[in-house]
Amino acid sequence: MKNNKRYLTIYEQVREDIITKRYHKGAKLPSKRVMAERMDVSLITVEHAYELLLEEGYIASKEKSGYFVIFDDKDIYSASPGRKEDHAASGPVSNTPPESPAYLGKRAIDNIDFSYSIYAKTVRRILSDYGPMVTEKSPFQGLYDLRRAISDYLGRSRHIEVSPSQVIIGAGAEYLYGLIVETFGRDISYGIESPSYQKIAKVYEAGGARLEMLRLVSDGIDSRDLWSGNMKVLHITPYRSFPSGVTATASKKREYLKWSLQNDGYIVEDDFESEFTTSRKAEETLFSIDEDDRVIYVNTFTRTIGSFVRCAYMVLPNGLVDTFIKTSGFRECPVPTLDQLVLAALIGGGDFERHINRVRRYNRQRGSRVR
């Protein structure tokens, strides 16, 4: 095993120990020195692993005392939705405007443009290789080549194991939101974070959906609103929800999953921007930890490559694929075949992931300067 990956092994082992209650809430983790000796690694390797656990809300650090487990997937589910002290403890969302220096500092992110020369070279190669085929219509779900490239990428980079048949290609996330309303219908309520990106609510409303606005607190949606709501579909942006900048903690993510199971509901996980996390590893997605086929994963290339790429994708749980095709399969895929072939080549050839890694390194360096 490469030394620069050993911290991920420690992270995953301790994370599993926390989830399975080997380390229960409030338990003190072994010190970095003890863990380093136990795992036969350096102190810096353990420090990196503990930093990841801190970032994702599994543990907390107490000065001169060590690291303690704060993850809990029991109390938050059994708590009464009406307990005001729960709401107060979680804290209100900051009203800092998104354009302020404080907000930019918290986000600590600046996009680095995707290489134009690589993009242009790929376009030329696709035109040369495929010729007139690039003008043909795409199947409803999108080209198989692109859906396979996305499923392979998600498996190796995001721990999301899916088949190409579960992937749907669309012209932007808003287009996919509309398909979600077509699939689930207008006779149910849809839960939306408040505050949230305004277009999310507008697209659902344009489709005739009834909305319930759910207040965000410091760790995600207020548990009182979540458990007292009547929605059957919950639309969330668990990583740095805009404009609040709130990121759902590990406990809150599992609370969302518990909600979906107990209420026979579904979660739309809007994963815009999380690939550019400043963390040393990719963000943990709800889809990757969902064991009950309750999460629909949505992402877009608008942020990762550029606004000129009007293409997004949605990953359905297996149990929804047939229903989705029956309700929306009459539509044509709005993304041109040429664009899909170019994206498939960028992902399959490694250029896409090299760009992601380059931006993440930049953001880590910039984030350390901001702090």
Side-chain angles (χ1 to χ4, degrees):
M1 182 190 304
K2 294 182 179 180
N3 289 335
N4 64 350
K5 296 297 183 182
R6 298 197 71 178
Y7 71 92
L8 290 176
T9 300
I10 298 171
Y11 155 81
E12 290 170 357
Q13 179 175 316
V14 176
R15 171 182 169 274
E16 183 65 19
D17 287 342
I18 291 172
I19 292 172
T20 57
K21 301 296 190 296
R22 182 171 181 267
Y23 294 127
H24 56 80
K25 183 180 180 182
K28 183 179 179 179
L29 292 185
S31 69
K32 289 183 288 187
R33 185 173 300 279
V34 169
M35 181 64 77
E37 292 175 353
R38 179 184 300 174
M39 302 297 293
D40 192 24
V41 296
S42 67
L43 279 173
I44 193 68
T45 298
V46 176
E47 185 173 301
H48 288 166
Y50 280 12
E51 282 177 0
L52 294 178
L53 294 165
L54 279 165
E55 289 171 0
E56 295 187 348
Y58 287 100
I59 64 175
S61 165
K62 295 183 181 179
E63 190 174 359
K64 298 181 180 180
S65 297
Y67 296 90
F68 295 83
V69 176
I70 59 173
F71 173 82
D72 184 14
D73 65 351
K74 181 178 65 176
D75 292 347
I76 53 176
Y77 305 148
S78 59
S80 167
R83 284 176 57 186
K84 294 183 178 179
E85 59 270 27
D86 293 339
H87 175 66
S90 58
V93 167
S94 169
N95 291 319
T96 305
E99 65 275 10
S100 73
Y103 182 81
L104 293 175
K106 179 165 57 176
R107 289 167 64 88
I109 185 168
D110 250 347
N111 201 357
I112 299 175
D113 291 339
F114 191 90
S115 169
Y116 173 77
S117 62
I118 292 176
Y119 185 82
K121 181 175 67 175
T122 305
V123 172
R124 290 193 295 269
R125 177 163 58 84
I126 293 299
L127 288 171
S128 175
D129 291 348
Y130 288 87
M133 287 179 59
V134 302
T135 64
E136 296 179 1
K137 289 184 179 180
S138 164
F140 159 65
Q141 286 186 245
L143 293 181
Y144 178 80
D145 286 357
L146 178 55
R147 291 187 285 119
R148 182 183 61 189
I150 289 172
S151 64
D152 289 346
Y153 161 70
L154 291 174
R156 64 179 175 261
S157 298
R158 307 305 304 275
H159 300 294
I160 295 177
E161 302 293 340
V162 294
S163 70
S165 64
Q166 294 173 253
V167 180
I168 309 293
I169 306 299
E174 292 87 353
Y175 169 82
L176 297 174
Y177 303 158
L179 297 186
I180 289 170
V181 177
E182 283 186 0
T183 299
F184 290 103
R186 301 166 179 81
D187 297 329
I188 62 171
S189 294
Y190 295 74
I192 306 291
E193 294 170 335
S194 179
S196 64
Y197 182 50
Q198 291 182 350
K199 278 191 177 180
I200 296 174
K202 287 180 179 178
V203 171
Y204 279 104
E205 287 175 335
R210 298 197 308 270
L211 297 184
E212 295 188 34
M213 306 308 294
L214 311 174
R215 293 168 296 177
L216 278 176
V217 290
S218 60
D219 66 343
I221 293 173
D222 185 346
S223 293
R224 297 181 303 171
D225 286 6
L226 179 67
W227 291 99
S228 63
N230 296 311
M231 60 278 178
K232 285 295 183 181
V233 175
L234 179 66
H235 188 117
I236 59 171
T237 308
Y239 178 74
R240 283 200 307 228
S241 181
F242 183 84
S244 65
V246 169
T247 293
T249 61
S251 297
K252 181 62 70 173
K253 289 176 181 178
R254 283 161 177 78
E255 183 178 4
Y256 293 153
L257 294 174
K258 191 75 171 183
W259 168 87
S260 68
L261 188 59
Q262 290 190 5
N263 290 275
D264 192 24
Y266 284 89
I267 298 169
V268 178
E269 180 178 15
D270 195 336
D271 199 33
F272 176 81
E273 197 176 72
S274 81
E275 279 143 321
F276 288 156
T277 174
T278 56
S279 176
R280 296 178 184 274
K281 62 173 281 295
E283 285 291 313
E284 179 182 68
T285 65
L286 270 80
F287 197 105
S288 66
I289 60 176
D290 173 30
E291 298 178 351
D292 300 293
D293 272 1
R294 292 286 171 179
V295 178
I296 300 168
Y297 179 87
V298 178
N299 207 335
T300 175
F301 295 105
T302 300
R303 179 63 168 165
T304 49
I305 293 184
S307 58
F308 59 92
V309 179
R310 296 303 302 163
C311 183
Y313 62 92
M314 174 167 60
V315 181
L316 300 171
N318 268 314
L320 274 183
V321 173
D322 289 344
T323 301
F324 188 87
I325 292 175
K326 286 178 183 177
T327 56
S328 300
F330 65 92
R331 294 183 175 274
E332 293 182 357
C333 179
V335 183
T337 294
L338 173 60
D339 292 354
Q340 294 189 55
L341 290 170
V342 170
L343 285 170
L346 292 173
I347 297 170
D351 290 314
F352 178 72
E353 283 170 83
R354 282 190 286 273
H355 171 67
I356 294 293
N357 293 333
R358 184 167 61 250
V359 178
R360 287 179 63 185
R361 285 194 298 271
Y362 170 80
N363 286 333
R364 281 200 296 273
Q365 293 168 0
R366 182 176 183 270
S368 62
R369 291 197 299 271
V370 170
R371 287 192 293 271

